[in-house]
Amino acid sequence: MSSNLERRLGPLDGAAVVVSNVIGAGILFTPPLVAAAVPSPLPFLATWVVGGLLAFTGAMAYAELAALRPRAGGEYVYLRAAFGRLAGFLTGWTSFVAGFSGAVAASAVVLAFYLGRFVPAAADATPLLTIPLPLVPLVVSRQALVALAAIALMSWIHLRGVGPGRLVGNLLAALKVSALLVFIALGFGLGAGSPAHLRESAGSVSPTTWLLALIPVMFTYSGWNAAAYLAEETRSPERNVPLALGLGTLAVIVMYGMLNVLYLYVIPVGELAKVKGSVLDVVADRLLGIRAGDVMGVVSIISLAASISAMTFAGPRVYFAMARDGMFFRGAARVHERYHTPALSIVAQAVWSGILVLSGGASSLTNYTGFAVVLFAGVAVTSLFRLRAQEPNAARPFKAWGYPLAPAIFALASFAIVANALWSDLVTPLVAGSPWGPSAAGLLVIAAGVPLYWWMTRHTASPPDS
């Protein structure tokens, strides 16, 4: 084992990781929530434009941070530098236990479900074997085995080098975008919708409800920071990481804009608000009839495979960076001598993701910690201000656009979303005497990292802050 990662990625590679990481289940299920809060076409579309601009603002802030510290690990590196080791550890801990591993596990299970349309056994959740662990039994089913196989395959590909990982990731990202673009073109070309839908309002919109609608929109854009995790493996990172973040985020904004216009073209906003399940499936059914299920099954399988690939690429770089700083198991800091990848970090994420598949806990964990994605992104952008104050003379090859106003707006919007989630899930239930919501459980997951941090710092080598 060695300790050096190879710089083999270009801006398009990073942009592909961003696109694959962002475009997932959110754009299929979030639009009805937004339409219910904003039942008027233009304000509805405006939420997606503003959410995209906020994501782009965050991406540009990350671009400065990544150019300043072009190391593996993303916001772990920035929080550690700006706010100390504990802050960095908590974002890395949350990424490992839920943010990446939980999302990989959940995506793999859903992939098996869609594959079941073509191979019915793949979606069979009937238990074949139960391992009776004390707290959470592990249940083996055909669906779980397919999900485990998908995780293992992607982990093996990315373990064998940046080259194979880049090739597969780029191919899946291209197929994902191409499939959606073809679907959008068919949607407008088949004439099954009406431009009049884009002018039909189903209700009034208040400033408060419009702002609240930004919450699910920003969640749907989360993942725009994926290229920052790969800064240490990117050629000329001071130039190419900002390019990757910018190109990837802009591509997502365009895709989301076209998809939402298509949704309204086919389904009036009032009907859109009542859609249960995937909007894309409903649109496909109206456009393609009985063929819709098969078409959307293929699109979904490609999309989920691309997302698993992107998260398998990005996530292990966080644990690698933590281990190198003495805040994760030492072996995770080693780089494979032949493949030049953080092999043990990739294996660790795959193993934990597999346990989540077998325990059925992936969806719960990602639901609990969803707000943390926005929280840590907001804190990371805030670190931009702190590092400018701490290191005023440091070379900054790239400077965040619109500083200080644009990153400040992003940070405030992120904290407002987190505050709203905690108020709804913690304070309101406490006053009403009802059960706490998922964000309250998420706080416990994050807090569980504190004693683990103290244990890690006692039992691993800990270099000084940098």
Side-chain angles (χ1 to χ4, degrees):
M1 296 281 185
S2 66
S3 58
N4 298 315
L5 296 172
E6 287 188 318
R7 292 196 182 275
R8 296 187 60 185
L9 301 175
L12 294 181
D13 301 317
V17 173
V18 171
V19 170
S20 293
N21 205 39
V22 177
I23 301 178
I27 193 59
L28 308 182
F29 300 100
T30 302
L33 301 177
V34 179
V38 186
S40 184
L42 289 181
F44 169 84
L45 293 174
T47 60
W48 293 95
V49 173
V50 172
L53 291 175
L54 285 171
F56 187 79
T57 298
M60 292 301 95
Y62 267 63
E64 176 175 328
L65 293 165
L68 177 66
R69 279 178 166 74
R71 300 175 57 194
E75 63 260 359
Y76 159 74
V77 175
Y78 318 141
L79 266 66
R80 182 182 184 275
F83 302 112
R85 294 167 60 81
L86 177 59
F89 179 84
L90 289 179
T91 186
W93 153 254
T94 306
S95 292
F96 178 74
V97 74
F100 282 109
S101 301
V104 165
S107 297
V109 171
V110 178
L111 186 149
F113 170 79
Y114 276 107
L115 188 61
R117 184 173 187 91
F118 308 100
V119 184
D124 186 358
T126 305
L128 300 174
L129 171 69
T130 300
I131 303 172
L133 295 184
L135 296 177
V136 181
L138 303 182
V139 180
V140 180
S141 65
R142 290 183 178 86
Q143 185 183 53
L145 290 174
V146 172
L148 293 176
I151 294 170
L153 176 61
M154 286 302 176
S155 300
W156 178 77
I157 290 170
H158 285 282
L159 187 150
R160 290 182 63 83
V162 170
R166 175 181 63 181
L167 177 64
V168 171
N170 290 354
L171 176 62
L172 288 171
L175 288 173
K176 184 178 196 173
V177 172
S178 298
L180 289 172
L181 287 175
V182 168
F183 183 78
I184 291 167
L186 285 174
F188 287 115
L190 290 175
S194 171
H197 294 167
L198 299 172
R199 299 187 296 271
E200 294 176 6
S201 177
S204 60
V205 179
S206 71
T208 301
T209 57
W210 188 86
L211 288 171
L212 287 174
L214 276 175
I215 296 173
V217 169
M218 284 193 69
F219 273 122
T220 308
Y221 275 107
S222 61
W224 46 260
N225 53 358
Y229 297 101
L230 308 173
E232 198 164 322
E233 292 156 282
T234 302
R235 300 186 303 271
S236 303
E238 67 284 350
R239 173 182 179 273
N240 288 332
V241 174
L243 268 176
L245 289 165
L247 290 173
T249 306
L250 286 173
V252 171
I253 293 170
V254 172
M255 290 294 299
Y256 278 5
M258 290 191 297
L259 280 170
N260 279 292
V261 172
L262 176 63
Y263 293 163
L264 292 182
Y265 177 72
V266 177
I267 309 171
V269 69
E271 288 185 37
L272 179 61
K274 300 174 184 177
V275 170
K276 305 297 182 184
S278 169
V279 182
L280 209 58
D281 287 350
V282 176
V283 172
D285 183 61
R286 296 195 181 188
L287 294 175
L288 304 174
I290 60 173
R291 297 169 296 172
D294 290 342
V295 171
M296 294 320 303
V298 172
V299 172
S300 297
I301 290 168
I302 293 171
S303 178
L304 289 162
S307 296
I308 295 170
S309 173
M311 290 183 284
T312 303
F313 208 160
R317 273 63 184 175
V318 180
Y319 330 133
F320 165 77
M322 294 172 68
R324 190 166 55 184
D325 291 342
M327 288 194 283
F328 199 68
F329 300 107
R330 289 190 185 99
R334 294 199 296 269
V335 177
H336 197 283
E337 289 182 356
R338 179 178 177 185
Y339 302 129
H340 301 284
T341 56
L344 291 178
S345 290
I346 294 172
V347 171
Q349 178 173 288
V351 169
W352 180 240
S353 296
I355 291 172
L356 291 177
V357 167
L358 296 174
S359 67
S363 295
S364 295
L365 265 179
T366 50
N367 189 33
Y368 292 158
T369 57
F371 80 98
V373 173
V374 178
L375 169 64
F376 287 123
V379 177
V381 170
T382 303
S383 71
L384 178 66
F385 296 91
R386 188 169 179 86
L387 289 176
R388 282 211 181 187
Q390 288 178 346
E391 305 170 8
N393 298 320
R396 287 178 167 79
F398 182 90
K399 293 188 176 181
W401 296 356
Y403 182 90
L405 183 60
I409 291 173
F410 177 89
L412 289 172
S414 299
F415 297 144
I417 288 172
V418 171
N420 178 77
L422 294 178
W423 182 270
S424 300
D425 291 347
L426 182 60
V427 178
T428 300
L430 191 64
V431 172
S434 56
W436 286 351
S439 298
L443 279 181
L444 297 178
V445 173
I446 296 171
V450 175
L452 185 60
Y453 164 78
W454 294 116
W455 185 88
M456 283 285 183
T457 53
R458 281 176 169 237
H459 292 84
T460 58
S462 301
D465 287 340
S466 61

